Amino acid sequence: SSGINAEWPLRPGGLSKLAEMLSLVSLVLVAVSCVDSYKVGIIHMHGVVEGYYEHNNFKKFIERNTGIPVHLLDAYNYAASITPMQYQVPDILPRVKKIAAQYDKVIAVGYSQGGLIWRAMIEEWDDHNVELFISLASPQHGVYGAPPLAETFVPFLHWYSRTTIYKVLYTFFGQTFSMFNYYLDPTHYNMYLEEVAFFPELNNELSSISPEEKERKKMNFLKLKKLALIGGESEDVIDPWQSTMFGFYTDEGFDGEVIPMEETKMYRDNLFGLRTLDERGGIVKCKYDGLTHLQFRDNQGMLRTCILPLLQPYFTDKS
């Protein structure tokens, strides 16, 4: 008979043939699942006056608990980290692209100053594959005044930072240090726009930027699926600590109050897409109190509370 005999598996040798067929089917299914799966990797940028190695505990913890590979960027470590930001970003981006090319999806992690470097790279990178951006204790709305920690060691710094320090920072000399490239004095806003090269450009605040360029950067930012903002009240370096959540001082500066992200100019005017990302549910905030700035590097309580839930959709199979 030319038809298929339904009893053939029961004949001598039939069971082995059935096993071979099932094995073949399983291989096909595995191949199909591989087509549907994707490779994901984490690329981490460190902060100022430190190096990538300080974040090795972060790397070990995340890889052990998620199976996702973590790449610590070996770039502008220690003294080199104070290089002006507008020079760091275009130099680091090609290195990042080489790593990102290994993956279908990238998770960006930027600690402290590294969070601003990452945002700048995302805005500049037209065809990026960054899906999740984790901003870890990073002054996304800039800094103002002196770090609270420094004020405890230098008695006059509190007064100086609230009166005349901008006259030094908003100079050619002041802007040769990266940590002052995102110093935003709201009481001298025009001077900030004129003297600071990096931060106003990053935020699309300059009228000299063409509408086409502003839109390009905004669209690149909006390619993100999710932005996670992590910080806390015990922050002892970033002033105000709310800058880690895109909050900042009002135009009155220290005489005013700190307003949340939703009330800032960056958000209300949707300068680079922050409001749009938020309105589509793409921003999550994790406020974790009790940690100093340096402890946000790798505190396990914070990592379990704020970061592991974000990575859950990307976990590889682990026993």
Side-chain angles (χ1 to χ4, degrees), residues 106-124:
V106 165
I107 298 169
V109 178
Y111 167 75
S112 192
Q113 178 174 282
L116 295 177
I117 290 176
W118 248 123
R119 177 152 72 90
M121 290 194 294
I122 289 168
E123 290 183 15
E124 187 58 35

Side-chain angles (χ1 to χ4, degrees), residues 160 189 292:
Y160 184 61
Y189 185 68
T292 64

Side-chain angles (χ1 to χ4, degrees), residues 59-71:
K59 172 182 170 69
K60 291 178 179 178
F61 179 89
I62 296 300
E63 291 182 340
R64 183 173 65 248
N65 286 277
T66 70
I68 304 173
V70 177
H71 300 264

Side-chain angles (χ1 to χ4, degrees), residues 274-301:
L274 191 62
R275 192 183 75 224
T276 301
L277 186 62
D278 185 40
E279 288 174 346
R280 73 183 192 203
I283 296 180
V284 294
K285 299 177 183 178
C286 187
K287 181 171 174 284
Y288 196 91
D289 295 329
L291 299 184
T292 64
H293 187 68
L294 292 182
Q295 289 173 331
F296 272 101
R297 284 173 173 168
D298 53 23
N299 177 270
Q300 291 196 9

